PDB file of all heavy atoms in Angstrom:
ATOM      1  N   LYS A   1       5.498 -25.231  -6.778  1.00 97.00           N
ATOM      2  CA  LYS A   1       6.049 -24.130  -7.593  1.00 97.00           C
ATOM      3  C   LYS A   1       5.023 -23.022  -7.786  1.00 97.00           C
ATOM      4  O   LYS A   1       5.351 -21.838  -7.805  1.00 97.00           O
ATOM      5  CB  LYS A   1       6.482 -24.657  -8.967  1.00 97.00           C
ATOM      6  CG  LYS A   1       7.817 -25.372  -8.985  1.00 97.00           C
ATOM      7  CD  LYS A   1       8.133 -25.833 -10.403  1.00 97.00           C
ATOM      8  CE  LYS A   1       9.437 -26.605 -10.458  1.00 97.00           C
ATOM      9  NZ  LYS A   1       9.695 -27.126 -11.828  1.00 97.00           N
ATOM     10  N   ASN A   2       3.766 -23.403  -7.948  1.00 96.00           N
ATOM     11  CA  ASN A   2       2.697 -22.439  -8.221  1.00 96.00           C
ATOM     12  C   ASN A   2       1.910 -22.042  -6.973  1.00 96.00           C
ATOM     13  O   ASN A   2       0.917 -21.324  -7.056  1.00 96.00           O
ATOM     14  CB  ASN A   2       1.731 -23.022  -9.270  1.00 96.00           C
ATOM     15  CG  ASN A   2       2.426 -23.297 -10.593  1.00 96.00           C
ATOM     16  OD1 ASN A   2       3.050 -22.410 -11.155  1.00 96.00           O
ATOM     17  ND2 ASN A   2       2.327 -24.520 -11.092  1.00 96.00           N
ATOM     18  N   ARG A   3       2.347 -22.499  -5.831  1.00 96.00           N
ATOM     19  CA  ARG A   3       1.624 -22.243  -4.585  1.00 96.00           C
ATOM     20  C   ARG A   3       1.888 -20.823  -4.104  1.00 96.00           C
ATOM     21  O   ARG A   3       3.017 -20.326  -4.166  1.00 96.00           O
ATOM     22  CB  ARG A   3       2.109 -23.236  -3.535  1.00 96.00           C
ATOM     23  CG  ARG A   3       1.174 -23.470  -2.366  1.00 96.00           C
ATOM     24  CD  ARG A   3       1.832 -24.458  -1.411  1.00 96.00           C
ATOM     25  NE  ARG A   3       0.890 -25.056  -0.479  1.00 96.00           N
ATOM     26  CZ  ARG A   3       1.247 -25.806   0.552  1.00 96.00           C
ATOM     27  NH1 ARG A   3       2.534 -26.059   0.765  1.00 96.00           N
ATOM     28  NH2 ARG A   3       0.345 -26.322   1.371  1.00 96.00           N
ATOM     29  N   VAL A   4       0.875 -20.180  -3.606  1.00 93.00           N
ATOM     30  CA  VAL A   4       1.017 -18.826  -3.071  1.00 93.00           C
ATOM     31  C   VAL A   4       1.197 -18.925  -1.558  1.00 93.00           C
ATOM     32  O   VAL A   4       0.312 -19.424  -0.855  1.00 93.00           O
ATOM     33  CB  VAL A   4      -0.218 -17.956  -3.395  1.00 93.00           C
ATOM     34  CG1 VAL A   4      -0.062 -16.559  -2.791  1.00 93.00           C
ATOM     35  CG2 VAL A   4      -0.438 -17.878  -4.899  1.00 93.00           C
ATOM     36  N   PRO A   5       2.350 -18.483  -1.035  1.00 92.00           N
ATOM     37  CA  PRO A   5       2.569 -18.591   0.414  1.00 92.00           C
ATOM     38  C   PRO A   5       1.672 -17.627   1.178  1.00 92.00           C
ATOM     39  O   PRO A   5       1.148 -16.656   0.619  1.00 92.00           O
ATOM     40  CB  PRO A   5       4.046 -18.217   0.571  1.00 92.00           C
ATOM     41  CG  PRO A   5       4.363 -17.380  -0.614  1.00 92.00           C
ATOM     42  CD  PRO A   5       3.491 -17.878  -1.733  1.00 92.00           C
ATOM     43  N   ASP A   6       1.515 -17.887   2.471  1.00 89.00           N
ATOM     44  CA  ASP A   6       0.724 -16.993   3.314  1.00 89.00           C
ATOM     45  C   ASP A   6       1.360 -15.615   3.350  1.00 89.00           C
ATOM     46  O   ASP A   6       2.588 -15.473   3.294  1.00 89.00           O
ATOM     47  CB  ASP A   6       0.633 -17.554   4.742  1.00 89.00           C
ATOM     48  CG  ASP A   6      -0.186 -18.844   4.796  1.00 89.00           C
ATOM     49  OD1 ASP A   6      -1.038 -19.038   3.907  1.00 89.00           O
ATOM     50  OD2 ASP A   6       0.034 -19.647   5.725  1.00 89.00           O
ATOM     51  N   GLU A   7       0.533 -14.604   3.462  1.00 90.00           N
ATOM     52  CA  GLU A   7       1.029 -13.228   3.503  1.00 90.00           C
ATOM     53  C   GLU A   7       1.909 -12.998   4.719  1.00 90.00           C
ATOM     54  O   GLU A   7       2.925 -12.313   4.657  1.00 90.00           O
ATOM     55  CB  GLU A   7      -0.166 -12.253   3.529  1.00 90.00           C
ATOM     56  CG  GLU A   7       0.211 -10.787   3.357  1.00 90.00           C
ATOM     57  CD  GLU A   7       0.908 -10.504   2.030  1.00 90.00           C
ATOM     58  OE1 GLU A   7       0.541 -11.120   1.004  1.00 90.00           O
ATOM     59  OE2 GLU A   7       1.836  -9.669   2.029  1.00 90.00           O
ATOM     60  N   LYS A   8       1.509 -13.618   5.829  1.00 92.00           N
ATOM     61  CA  LYS A   8       2.274 -13.457   7.074  1.00 92.00           C
ATOM     62  C   LYS A   8       2.714 -14.838   7.562  1.00 92.00           C
ATOM     63  O   LYS A   8       1.902 -15.762   7.639  1.00 92.00           O
ATOM     64  CB  LYS A   8       1.400 -12.779   8.136  1.00 92.00           C
ATOM     65  CG  LYS A   8       2.130 -12.430   9.431  1.00 92.00           C
ATOM     66  CD  LYS A   8       1.188 -11.682  10.377  1.00 92.00           C
ATOM     67  CE  LYS A   8       1.897 -11.233  11.652  1.00 92.00           C
ATOM     68  NZ  LYS A   8       2.447 -12.338  12.434  1.00 92.00           N
ATOM     69  N   ASN A   9       4.004 -14.977   7.855  1.00 91.00           N
ATOM     70  CA  ASN A   9       4.509 -16.261   8.357  1.00 91.00           C
ATOM     71  C   ASN A   9       3.869 -16.599   9.701  1.00 91.00           C
ATOM     72  O   ASN A   9       3.714 -15.732  10.560  1.00 91.00           O
ATOM     73  CB  ASN A   9       6.030 -16.205   8.517  1.00 91.00           C
ATOM     74  CG  ASN A   9       6.755 -16.232   7.193  1.00 91.00           C
ATOM     75  OD1 ASN A   9       6.282 -16.849   6.238  1.00 91.00           O
ATOM     76  ND2 ASN A   9       7.908 -15.583   7.119  1.00 91.00           N
ATOM     77  N   ASN A  10       3.505 -17.874   9.862  1.00 90.00           N
ATOM     78  CA  ASN A  10       2.919 -18.272  11.151  1.00 90.00           C
ATOM     79  C   ASN A  10       3.955 -18.923  12.060  1.00 90.00           C
ATOM     80  O   ASN A  10       3.623 -19.708  12.942  1.00 90.00           O
ATOM     81  CB  ASN A  10       1.732 -19.218  10.934  1.00 90.00           C
ATOM     82  CG  ASN A  10       2.122 -20.482  10.177  1.00 90.00           C
ATOM     83  OD1 ASN A  10       3.284 -20.635   9.806  1.00 90.00           O
ATOM     84  ND2 ASN A  10       1.167 -21.361   9.947  1.00 90.00           N
ATOM     85  N   PHE A  11       5.238 -18.611  11.813  1.00 95.00           N
ATOM     86  CA  PHE A  11       6.298 -19.077  12.708  1.00 95.00           C
ATOM     87  C   PHE A  11       7.094 -17.871  13.196  1.00 95.00           C
ATOM     88  O   PHE A  11       7.062 -16.803  12.595  1.00 95.00           O
ATOM     89  CB  PHE A  11       7.217 -20.081  11.999  1.00 95.00           C
ATOM     90  CG  PHE A  11       7.877 -19.541  10.756  1.00 95.00           C
ATOM     91  CD1 PHE A  11       9.054 -18.812  10.822  1.00 95.00           C
ATOM     92  CD2 PHE A  11       7.315 -19.762   9.501  1.00 95.00           C
ATOM     93  CE1 PHE A  11       9.663 -18.312   9.678  1.00 95.00           C
ATOM     94  CE2 PHE A  11       7.915 -19.275   8.343  1.00 95.00           C
ATOM     95  CZ  PHE A  11       9.090 -18.544   8.439  1.00 95.00           C
ATOM     96  N   ARG A  12       7.823 -18.066  14.299  1.00 95.00           N
ATOM     97  CA  ARG A  12       8.562 -16.953  14.911  1.00 95.00           C
ATOM     98  C   ARG A  12      10.065 -17.117  14.810  1.00 95.00           C
ATOM     99  O   ARG A  12      10.822 -16.198  15.112  1.00 95.00           O
ATOM    100  CB  ARG A  12       8.148 -16.825  16.375  1.00 95.00           C
ATOM    101  CG  ARG A  12       6.677 -16.415  16.537  1.00 95.00           C
ATOM    102  CD  ARG A  12       6.040 -16.996  17.780  1.00 95.00           C
ATOM    103  NE  ARG A  12       6.782 -16.713  18.985  1.00 95.00           N
ATOM    104  CZ  ARG A  12       6.670 -17.408  20.123  1.00 95.00           C
ATOM    105  NH1 ARG A  12       5.863 -18.447  20.172  1.00 95.00           N
ATOM    106  NH2 ARG A  12       7.373 -17.075  21.170  1.00 95.00           N
ATOM    107  N   ALA A  13      10.517 -18.303  14.404  1.00 97.00           N
ATOM    108  CA  ALA A  13      11.958 -18.548  14.246  1.00 97.00           C
ATOM    109  C   ALA A  13      12.150 -19.715  13.280  1.00 97.00           C
ATOM    110  O   ALA A  13      11.284 -20.580  13.147  1.00 97.00           O
ATOM    111  CB  ALA A  13      12.593 -18.883  15.597  1.00 97.00           C
ATOM    112  N   ARG A  14      13.296 -19.707  12.613  1.00 98.00           N
ATOM    113  CA  ARG A  14      13.645 -20.791  11.693  1.00 98.00           C
ATOM    114  C   ARG A  14      14.717 -21.658  12.356  1.00 98.00           C
ATOM    115  O   ARG A  14      15.707 -21.122  12.858  1.00 98.00           O
ATOM    116  CB  ARG A  14      14.181 -20.215  10.380  1.00 98.00           C
ATOM    117  CG  ARG A  14      13.196 -19.319   9.638  1.00 98.00           C
ATOM    118  CD  ARG A  14      13.889 -18.562   8.505  1.00 98.00           C
ATOM    119  NE  ARG A  14      14.458 -19.470   7.522  1.00 98.00           N
ATOM    120  CZ  ARG A  14      13.826 -19.879   6.415  1.00 98.00           C
ATOM    121  NH1 ARG A  14      12.603 -19.444   6.154  1.00 98.00           N
ATOM    122  NH2 ARG A  14      14.414 -20.706   5.567  1.00 98.00           N
ATOM    123  N   VAL A  15      14.521 -22.981  12.348  1.00 98.00           N
ATOM    124  CA  VAL A  15      15.491 -23.865  12.997  1.00 98.00           C
ATOM    125  C   VAL A  15      15.915 -24.993  12.065  1.00 98.00           C
ATOM    126  O   VAL A  15      15.134 -25.479  11.249  1.00 98.00           O
ATOM    127  CB  VAL A  15      14.941 -24.477  14.309  1.00 98.00           C
ATOM    128  CG1 VAL A  15      14.634 -23.388  15.323  1.00 98.00           C
ATOM    129  CG2 VAL A  15      13.721 -25.349  14.048  1.00 98.00           C
ATOM    130  N   ALA A  16      17.174 -25.390  12.195  1.00 98.00           N
ATOM    131  CA  ALA A  16      17.668 -26.617  11.568  1.00 98.00           C
ATOM    132  C   ALA A  16      17.613 -27.714  12.622  1.00 98.00           C
ATOM    133  O   ALA A  16      18.065 -27.510  13.749  1.00 98.00           O
ATOM    134  CB  ALA A  16      19.099 -26.427  11.075  1.00 98.00           C
ATOM    135  N   VAL A  17      17.008 -28.842  12.273  1.00 98.00           N
ATOM    136  CA  VAL A  17      16.951 -29.978  13.200  1.00 98.00           C
ATOM    137  C   VAL A  17      18.058 -30.949  12.821  1.00 98.00           C
ATOM    138  O   VAL A  17      18.139 -31.402  11.679  1.00 98.00           O
ATOM    139  CB  VAL A  17      15.579 -30.667  13.173  1.00 98.00           C
ATOM    140  CG1 VAL A  17      15.574 -31.878  14.099  1.00 98.00           C
ATOM    141  CG2 VAL A  17      14.484 -29.684  13.592  1.00 98.00           C
ATOM    142  N   VAL A  18      18.920 -31.242  13.793  1.00 97.00           N
ATOM    143  CA  VAL A  18      20.136 -32.028  13.551  1.00 97.00           C
ATOM    144  C   VAL A  18      20.171 -33.187  14.531  1.00 97.00           C
ATOM    145  O   VAL A  18      19.788 -33.040  15.697  1.00 97.00           O
ATOM    146  CB  VAL A  18      21.387 -31.136  13.778  1.00 97.00           C
ATOM    147  CG1 VAL A  18      22.670 -31.935  13.618  1.00 97.00           C
ATOM    148  CG2 VAL A  18      21.376 -29.941  12.841  1.00 97.00           C
ATOM    149  N   GLY A  19      20.638 -34.368  14.058  1.00 96.00           N
ATOM    150  CA  GLY A  19      20.848 -35.444  15.007  1.00 96.00           C
ATOM    151  C   GLY A  19      20.475 -36.819  14.513  1.00 96.00           C
ATOM    152  O   GLY A  19      20.612 -37.139  13.336  1.00 96.00           O
ATOM    153  N   SER A  20      19.968 -37.649  15.422  1.00 94.00           N
ATOM    154  CA  SER A  20      19.762 -39.065  15.157  1.00 94.00           C
ATOM    155  C   SER A  20      18.457 -39.314  14.408  1.00 94.00           C
ATOM    156  O   SER A  20      17.791 -38.389  13.947  1.00 94.00           O
ATOM    157  CB  SER A  20      19.789 -39.857  16.470  1.00 94.00           C
ATOM    158  OG  SER A  20      18.637 -39.597  17.242  1.00 94.00           O
ATOM    159  N   GLU A  21      18.090 -40.563  14.341  1.00 94.00           N
ATOM    160  CA  GLU A  21      16.960 -41.036  13.536  1.00 94.00           C
ATOM    161  C   GLU A  21      15.640 -40.367  13.930  1.00 94.00           C
ATOM    162  O   GLU A  21      15.261 -40.365  15.091  1.00 94.00           O
ATOM    163  CB  GLU A  21      16.878 -42.567  13.731  1.00 94.00           C
ATOM    164  CG  GLU A  21      16.045 -43.300  12.736  1.00 94.00           C
ATOM    165  CD  GLU A  21      14.619 -43.504  13.192  1.00 94.00           C
ATOM    166  OE1 GLU A  21      14.245 -43.037  14.286  1.00 94.00           O
ATOM    167  OE2 GLU A  21      13.864 -44.119  12.447  1.00 94.00           O
ATOM    168  N   ILE A  22      14.959 -39.777  12.934  1.00 95.00           N
ATOM    169  CA  ILE A  22      13.586 -39.289  13.141  1.00 95.00           C
ATOM    170  C   ILE A  22      12.717 -39.850  12.026  1.00 95.00           C
ATOM    171  O   ILE A  22      12.838 -39.452  10.868  1.00 95.00           O
ATOM    172  CB  ILE A  22      13.476 -37.751  13.110  1.00 95.00           C
ATOM    173  CG1 ILE A  22      14.290 -37.084  14.210  1.00 95.00           C
ATOM    174  CG2 ILE A  22      12.003 -37.329  13.254  1.00 95.00           C
ATOM    175  CD1 ILE A  22      14.206 -35.561  14.217  1.00 95.00           C
ATOM    176  N   ASP A  23      11.864 -40.825  12.363  1.00 95.00           N
ATOM    177  CA  ASP A  23      10.868 -41.246  11.376  1.00 95.00           C
ATOM    178  C   ASP A  23       9.460 -40.956  11.897  1.00 95.00           C
ATOM    179  O   ASP A  23       8.471 -41.360  11.301  1.00 95.00           O
ATOM    180  CB  ASP A  23      11.038 -42.733  11.026  1.00 95.00           C
ATOM    181  CG  ASP A  23      10.657 -43.675  12.165  1.00 95.00           C
ATOM    182  OD1 ASP A  23       9.520 -43.603  12.639  1.00 95.00           O
ATOM    183  OD2 ASP A  23      11.497 -44.506  12.554  1.00 95.00           O
ATOM    184  N   ASP A  24       9.386 -40.247  13.010  1.00 92.00           N
ATOM    185  CA  ASP A  24       8.113 -39.891  13.642  1.00 92.00           C
ATOM    186  C   ASP A  24       7.682 -38.517  13.132  1.00 92.00           C
ATOM    187  O   ASP A  24       8.277 -37.504  13.491  1.00 92.00           O
ATOM    188  CB  ASP A  24       8.309 -39.885  15.163  1.00 92.00           C
ATOM    189  CG  ASP A  24       7.050 -39.492  15.917  1.00 92.00           C
ATOM    190  OD1 ASP A  24       5.973 -39.440  15.280  1.00 92.00           O
ATOM    191  OD2 ASP A  24       7.133 -39.244  17.123  1.00 92.00           O
ATOM    192  N   ILE A  25       6.654 -38.496  12.283  1.00 91.00           N
ATOM    193  CA  ILE A  25       6.236 -37.209  11.709  1.00 91.00           C
ATOM    194  C   ILE A  25       5.675 -36.271  12.776  1.00 91.00           C
ATOM    195  O   ILE A  25       5.647 -35.055  12.589  1.00 91.00           O
ATOM    196  CB  ILE A  25       5.221 -37.385  10.554  1.00 91.00           C
ATOM    197  CG1 ILE A  25       3.987 -38.157  11.001  1.00 91.00           C
ATOM    198  CG2 ILE A  25       5.883 -38.095   9.371  1.00 91.00           C
ATOM    199  CD1 ILE A  25       2.924 -38.309   9.930  1.00 91.00           C
ATOM    200  N   ASP A  26       5.277 -36.834  13.924  1.00 93.00           N
ATOM    201  CA  ASP A  26       4.773 -35.986  15.018  1.00 93.00           C
ATOM    202  C   ASP A  26       5.859 -35.078  15.579  1.00 93.00           C
ATOM    203  O   ASP A  26       5.565 -34.007  16.111  1.00 93.00           O
ATOM    204  CB  ASP A  26       4.204 -36.843  16.151  1.00 93.00           C
ATOM    205  CG  ASP A  26       2.877 -37.490  15.793  1.00 93.00           C
ATOM    206  OD1 ASP A  26       2.221 -36.991  14.852  1.00 93.00           O
ATOM    207  OD2 ASP A  26       2.499 -38.484  16.428  1.00 93.00           O
ATOM    208  N   MET A  27       7.122 -35.509  15.481  1.00 95.00           N
ATOM    209  CA  MET A  27       8.220 -34.716  16.036  1.00 95.00           C
ATOM    210  C   MET A  27       8.327 -33.372  15.314  1.00 95.00           C
ATOM    211  O   MET A  27       8.413 -32.311  15.952  1.00 95.00           O
ATOM    212  CB  MET A  27       9.534 -35.502  15.909  1.00 95.00           C
ATOM    213  CG  MET A  27      10.764 -34.758  16.385  1.00 95.00           C
ATOM    214  SD  MET A  27      10.822 -34.548  18.171  1.00 95.00           S
ATOM    215  CE  MET A  27      12.290 -33.552  18.354  1.00 95.00           C
ATOM    216  N   ILE A  28       8.323 -33.411  13.988  1.00 96.00           N
ATOM    217  CA  ILE A  28       8.442 -32.174  13.220  1.00 96.00           C
ATOM    218  C   ILE A  28       7.187 -31.329  13.386  1.00 96.00           C
ATOM    219  O   ILE A  28       7.251 -30.104  13.499  1.00 96.00           O
ATOM    220  CB  ILE A  28       8.698 -32.489  11.726  1.00 96.00           C
ATOM    221  CG1 ILE A  28       9.945 -33.367  11.575  1.00 96.00           C
ATOM    222  CG2 ILE A  28       8.839 -31.209  10.918  1.00 96.00           C
ATOM    223  CD1 ILE A  28      11.220 -32.771  12.126  1.00 96.00           C
ATOM    224  N   LYS A  29       6.042 -31.993  13.433  1.00 96.00           N
ATOM    225  CA  LYS A  29       4.773 -31.263  13.623  1.00 96.00           C
ATOM    226  C   LYS A  29       4.768 -30.541  14.965  1.00 96.00           C
ATOM    227  O   LYS A  29       4.365 -29.374  15.053  1.00 96.00           O
ATOM    228  CB  LYS A  29       3.601 -32.248  13.551  1.00 96.00           C
ATOM    229  CG  LYS A  29       2.234 -31.585  13.404  1.00 96.00           C
ATOM    230  CD  LYS A  29       1.177 -32.615  13.097  1.00 96.00           C
ATOM    231  CE  LYS A  29      -0.100 -31.969  12.607  1.00 96.00           C
ATOM    232  NZ  LYS A  29      -0.602 -30.882  13.420  1.00 96.00           N
ATOM    233  N   LEU A  30       5.244 -31.221  16.009  1.00 96.00           N
ATOM    234  CA  LEU A  30       5.272 -30.614  17.336  1.00 96.00           C
ATOM    235  C   LEU A  30       6.175 -29.375  17.353  1.00 96.00           C
ATOM    236  O   LEU A  30       5.805 -28.337  17.928  1.00 96.00           O
ATOM    237  CB  LEU A  30       5.767 -31.654  18.349  1.00 96.00           C
ATOM    238  CG  LEU A  30       5.748 -31.271  19.823  1.00 96.00           C
ATOM    239  CD1 LEU A  30       5.531 -32.510  20.685  1.00 96.00           C
ATOM    240  CD2 LEU A  30       7.040 -30.586  20.252  1.00 96.00           C
ATOM    241  N   ILE A  31       7.339 -29.469  16.714  1.00 96.00           N
ATOM    242  CA  ILE A  31       8.261 -28.329  16.669  1.00 96.00           C
ATOM    243  C   ILE A  31       7.604 -27.152  15.952  1.00 96.00           C
ATOM    244  O   ILE A  31       7.667 -26.003  16.419  1.00 96.00           O
ATOM    245  CB  ILE A  31       9.581 -28.723  15.973  1.00 96.00           C
ATOM    246  CG1 ILE A  31      10.376 -29.704  16.850  1.00 96.00           C
ATOM    247  CG2 ILE A  31      10.440 -27.485  15.674  1.00 96.00           C
ATOM    248  CD1 ILE A  31      11.575 -30.324  16.152  1.00 96.00           C
ATOM    249  N   GLU A  32       6.943 -27.430  14.834  1.00 97.00           N
ATOM    250  CA  GLU A  32       6.331 -26.336  14.066  1.00 97.00           C
ATOM    251  C   GLU A  32       5.092 -25.774  14.763  1.00 97.00           C
ATOM    252  O   GLU A  32       4.824 -24.578  14.681  1.00 97.00           O
ATOM    253  CB  GLU A  32       6.008 -26.810  12.648  1.00 97.00           C
ATOM    254  CG  GLU A  32       7.267 -27.185  11.883  1.00 97.00           C
ATOM    255  CD  GLU A  32       7.171 -27.026  10.386  1.00 97.00           C
ATOM    256  OE1 GLU A  32       6.135 -27.409   9.809  1.00 97.00           O
ATOM    257  OE2 GLU A  32       8.128 -26.510   9.782  1.00 97.00           O
ATOM    258  N   ASP A  33       4.362 -26.624  15.481  1.00 95.00           N
ATOM    259  CA  ASP A  33       3.223 -26.135  16.261  1.00 95.00           C
ATOM    260  C   ASP A  33       3.677 -25.270  17.431  1.00 95.00           C
ATOM    261  O   ASP A  33       2.882 -24.521  18.009  1.00 95.00           O
ATOM    262  CB  ASP A  33       2.390 -27.306  16.795  1.00 95.00           C
ATOM    263  CG  ASP A  33       1.570 -27.988  15.701  1.00 95.00           C
ATOM    264  OD1 ASP A  33       1.461 -27.409  14.596  1.00 95.00           O
ATOM    265  OD2 ASP A  33       1.062 -29.104  15.947  1.00 95.00           O
ATOM    266  N   SER A  34       4.962 -25.378  17.786  1.00 96.00           N
ATOM    267  CA  SER A  34       5.507 -24.609  18.913  1.00 96.00           C
ATOM    268  C   SER A  34       6.117 -23.278  18.473  1.00 96.00           C
ATOM    269  O   SER A  34       6.748 -22.587  19.269  1.00 96.00           O
ATOM    270  CB  SER A  34       6.563 -25.441  19.658  1.00 96.00           C
ATOM    271  OG  SER A  34       6.013 -26.663  20.099  1.00 96.00           O
ATOM    272  N   GLY A  35       5.956 -22.937  17.189  1.00 96.00           N
ATOM    273  CA  GLY A  35       6.398 -21.625  16.719  1.00 96.00           C
ATOM    274  C   GLY A  35       7.686 -21.599  15.937  1.00 96.00           C
ATOM    275  O   GLY A  35       8.160 -20.534  15.535  1.00 96.00           O
ATOM    276  N   ALA A  36       8.297 -22.783  15.693  1.00 97.00           N
ATOM    277  CA  ALA A  36       9.560 -22.838  14.947  1.00 97.00           C
ATOM    278  C   ALA A  36       9.325 -23.476  13.580  1.00 97.00           C
ATOM    279  O   ALA A  36       8.629 -24.486  13.479  1.00 97.00           O
ATOM    280  CB  ALA A  36      10.595 -23.642  15.719  1.00 97.00           C
ATOM    281  N   TYR A  37       9.908 -22.908  12.549  1.00 98.00           N
ATOM    282  CA  TYR A  37       9.824 -23.478  11.210  1.00 98.00           C
ATOM    283  C   TYR A  37      11.050 -24.353  10.975  1.00 98.00           C
ATOM    284  O   TYR A  37      12.188 -23.879  11.084  1.00 98.00           O
ATOM    285  CB  TYR A  37       9.764 -22.356  10.166  1.00 98.00           C
ATOM    286  CG  TYR A  37       9.782 -22.846   8.728  1.00 98.00           C
ATOM    287  CD1 TYR A  37       8.672 -23.480   8.193  1.00 98.00           C
ATOM    288  CD2 TYR A  37      10.908 -22.680   7.922  1.00 98.00           C
ATOM    289  CE1 TYR A  37       8.672 -23.941   6.887  1.00 98.00           C
ATOM    290  CE2 TYR A  37      10.919 -23.139   6.616  1.00 98.00           C
ATOM    291  CZ  TYR A  37       9.796 -23.769   6.101  1.00 98.00           C
ATOM    292  OH  TYR A  37       9.807 -24.231   4.810  1.00 98.00           O
ATOM    293  N   VAL A  38      10.838 -25.627  10.654  1.00 98.00           N
ATOM    294  CA  VAL A  38      11.956 -26.548  10.416  1.00 98.00           C
ATOM    295  C   VAL A  38      12.426 -26.354   8.972  1.00 98.00           C
ATOM    296  O   VAL A  38      11.839 -26.870   8.029  1.00 98.00           O
ATOM    297  CB  VAL A  38      11.557 -28.012  10.679  1.00 98.00           C
ATOM    298  CG1 VAL A  38      12.719 -28.949  10.359  1.00 98.00           C
ATOM    299  CG2 VAL A  38      11.120 -28.183  12.132  1.00 98.00           C
ATOM    300  N   CYS A  39      13.497 -25.583   8.823  1.00 98.00           N
ATOM    301  CA  CYS A  39      13.961 -25.208   7.484  1.00 98.00           C
ATOM    302  C   CYS A  39      15.009 -26.166   6.935  1.00 98.00           C
ATOM    303  O   CYS A  39      15.289 -26.162   5.736  1.00 98.00           O
ATOM    304  CB  CYS A  39      14.510 -23.782   7.492  1.00 98.00           C
ATOM    305  SG  CYS A  39      15.952 -23.543   8.549  1.00 98.00           S
ATOM    306  N   ALA A  40      15.618 -27.001   7.791  1.00 98.00           N
ATOM    307  CA  ALA A  40      16.645 -27.940   7.329  1.00 98.00           C
ATOM    308  C   ALA A  40      16.585 -29.199   8.184  1.00 98.00           C
ATOM    309  O   ALA A  40      16.325 -29.133   9.386  1.00 98.00           O
ATOM    310  CB  ALA A  40      18.033 -27.311   7.396  1.00 98.00           C
TER     311      ALA A  40
END
């Protein structure tokens, strides 16, 4: 709540990830490291 976000977003697109079981935290990290923000 009190966190100050970065002045400039370090992502280029916002994506919703939909589908089957994901318990691998590397999956979301890989998507975000590739320029997409996982918003849902």
